[in-house]
Amino acid sequence: MGVQSVIFFSLTLLFCLKAEASHCSTHGREQHAGLRLVKNISELPQDNYGSPGLSHITIAGSFLHGIKEVELWLQTLAPGWRTPINRHSCEEVFVVLKGSGTLYLAPNSHLEYPGQPQEFPIFTNCTFHAPVNEAHQVWNTNQDEDLHFLVIISRPPIKAFIYDDWFMPHTAANLKFPIFWDEQCFQTPAKDEL
Amino acid sequence: MGVQSVIFFSLTLLFCLKAEASHCSTHGREQHAGLRLVKNISELPQDNYGSPGLSHITIAGSFLHGIKEVELWLQTLAPGWRTPINRHSCEEVFVVLKGSGTLYLAPNSHLEYPGQPQEFPIFTNCTFHAPVNEAHQVWNTNQDEDLHFLVIISRPPIKAFIYDDWFMPHTAANLKFPIFWDEQCFQTPAKDEL
């Protein structure tokens, strides 16, 4: 390989809607299930979780695959669609595979509300992260094409605070746990009858 | 977006050899340096660290970017090249972007040595993980094309035990810390003169 060269990666994904509870992890036992260790991403469950402009695939997950310390998602936003304004105490790293849009980030999360966010253009082959506990939003502001990106989080499962707008008080933000794509595999702890 | 559709992702990467110490993080201060929050992966330092068949880019790193809980690498192995046999106590998730090869995994790491590994074919658009403390190796066994993959680890910086072969005792494995691509930004703690 040369020192300076252009390398083209193509990741081809066949989305199929097969979000069945049987895909949920049984406490990491899947790790040793032989052939299932290597998974074809094209065959993983994909869903929009009630948001027609979203596609979400959990490539490596806590509830789904028994991964404990990291989680990896593949998400697509149709033109004009956006993530909720949210913040969380875990780290989150993004890689834009294709498309462009805008990252909104409110670094003053220590005040009573997020406040007017800064805007950062995002583009194919860029990476960025959402600093811990700073409210942020990814918006596909490109009207012409989908925005495809990978998301890596630490300390799964994610517990996100969701805001209606940038001036909603932190105390009024809605804790979303489990997050939409974790709901199916989330098991509420057994009640202690005593 | 349709329920069943084929989506093509392309991640174009311009590799340029610019591994300068100035890229090292100064304790996460970079997080708030405005425009640098969004990085073009094409402009990140790339190196082979003395292994002509390797290309490594730290997309999001502990020493490099002040990320504390996850790390993301982009690696390429030329035909016939392989990673060292290694194990570690952090989690590691792989996504193959392009190419094919073989994952070797020795699940019996609780014995005195890794032992004969199992072999798993890996391919474009697959994902797998290396279970904690199980010795593993990724080998580009495809003689015709490079193997491009993303690596996500938890609890950076990585502390890996490296084996010469599958029958080397665990007690003889070599602890590689900092790992090759962390060496430039690794700062040894100041000596306590007292």
Side-chain angles (χ1 to χ4, degrees):
Chain A
M1 288 177 293
V3 168
Q4 279 197 324
S5 62
V6 181
I7 297 196
F8 295 91
F9 290 128
S10 67
L11 179 58
T12 307
L13 291 168
L14 173 63
F15 286 148
C16 26
L17 187 62
K18 264 199 330 177
E20 299 160 15
S22 61
H23 288 92
C24 302
S25 167
T26 49
H27 305 289
R29 221 191 305 161
E30 191 186 62
Q31 289 184 6
H32 296 275
L35 288 174
R36 294 191 61 191
L37 183 76
V38 180
K39 299 180 186 73
N40 188 333
I41 295 174
S42 309
E43 297 171 355
L44 296 178
Q46 175 268 344
D47 204 339
N48 66 18
Y49 300 97
S51 177
L54 170 73
S55 160
H56 172 97
I57 292 176
T58 297
I59 294 179
S62 171
F63 288 134
L64 267 72
H65 312 118
I67 308 288
K68 292 183 176 69
E69 299 179 351
V70 292
E71 199 157 287
L72 174 61
W73 311 329
L74 174 61
Q75 295 190 329
T76 300
L77 292 172
W81 286 81
R82 54 192 190 266
T83 69
I85 301 169
N86 72 98
R87 72 174 173 87
H88 38 72
S89 59
C90 64
E91 289 186 336
E92 186 172 29
V93 176
F94 296 79
V95 172
V96 176
L97 296 171
K98 196 160 188 299
S100 60
T102 306
L103 164 68
Y104 295 89
L105 180 68
N108 298 321
S109 294
H110 56 284
L111 299 176
E112 288 173 17
Y113 49 83
Q116 191 65 35
Q118 295 176 21
E119 298 182 22
F120 300 89
I122 59 177
F123 45 88
T124 299
N125 202 26
C126 82
T127 184
F128 55 91
H129 69 281
V132 165
N133 270 326
E134 296 190 4
H136 56 278
Q137 179 178 48
V138 174
W139 196 320
N140 183 358
T141 46
N142 179 337
Q143 292 302 317
D144 297 323
E145 62 175 335
D146 288 347
L147 176 64
H148 306 284
F149 53 100
L150 290 168
V151 183
I152 294 113
I153 63 156
S154 63
R155 281 186 280 148
I158 193 167
K159 298 167 188 69
F161 288 91
I162 294 181
Y163 295 75
D164 293 340
D165 59 62
W166 296 98
F167 299 93
M168 186 179 200
H170 294 307
T171 51
N174 175 37
L175 174 61
K176 181 61 188 152
F177 179 79
I179 202 78
F180 313 102
W181 38 88
D182 283 343
E183 283 180 354
Q184 195 169 30
C185 291
F186 178 71
Q187 294 174 328
T188 47
K191 281 184 184 172
D192 186 341
E193 296 291 341
L194 300 177
Chain B
M1 287 178 293
V3 168
Q4 279 198 324
S5 61
V6 181
I7 296 197
F8 296 92
F9 289 127
S10 66
L11 179 58
T12 307
L13 291 168
L14 174 62
F15 286 149
C16 24
L17 187 61
K18 263 198 331 178
E20 298 159 14
S22 61
H23 288 93
C24 301
S25 167
T26 50
H27 305 290
R29 220 190 304 162
E30 191 187 60
Q31 290 185 4
H32 296 274
L35 287 175
R36 295 192 60 191
L37 183 76
V38 180
K39 299 181 186 73
N40 189 333
I41 295 175
S42 310
E43 296 171 356
L44 296 179
Q46 175 270 343
D47 205 338
N48 66 19
Y49 300 97
S51 178
L54 170 73
S55 160
H56 173 97
I57 292 176
T58 297
I59 294 179
S62 171
F63 288 134
L64 267 72
H65 311 117
I67 308 289
K68 292 183 176 69
E69 300 178 350
V70 292
E71 200 157 286
L72 175 60
W73 311 329
L74 174 61
Q75 295 191 328
T76 301
L77 291 173
W81 286 82
R82 54 192 189 265
T83 68
I85 300 168
N86 72 98
R87 71 174 173 89
H88 37 73
S89 59
C90 64
E91 289 186 334
E92 186 172 28
V93 176
F94 297 78
V95 172
V96 176
L97 297 170
K98 197 163 188 300
S100 60
T102 306
L103 163 68
Y104 296 89
L105 179 68
N108 297 320
S109 294
H110 55 284
L111 299 177
E112 287 174 19
Y113 50 84
Q116 191 66 35
Q118 295 177 21
E119 298 182 23
F120 301 89
I122 59 176
F123 46 89
T124 299
N125 202 27
C126 82
T127 184
F128 55 92
H129 70 280
V132 166
N133 270 325
E134 295 190 4
H136 56 278
Q137 179 179 48
V138 174
W139 196 320
N140 183 357
T141 45
N142 179 337
Q143 291 303 317
D144 296 323
E145 62 175 334
D146 288 348
L147 176 64
H148 306 284
F149 53 99
L150 291 168
V151 184
I152 294 113
I153 62 157
S154 63
R155 282 186 280 149
I158 193 167
K159 297 167 189 70
F161 288 91
I162 293 182
Y163 295 75
D164 293 340
D165 59 62
W166 296 98
F167 299 93
M168 187 179 199
H170 294 307
T171 51
N174 175 37
L175 174 60
K176 181 61 188 151
F177 178 78
I179 201 79
F180 312 101
W181 38 88
D182 283 343
E183 283 179 354
Q184 194 170 31
C185 291
F186 179 71
Q187 294 174 328
T188 47
K191 281 185 182 172
D192 185 340
E193 297 290 341
L194 299 177

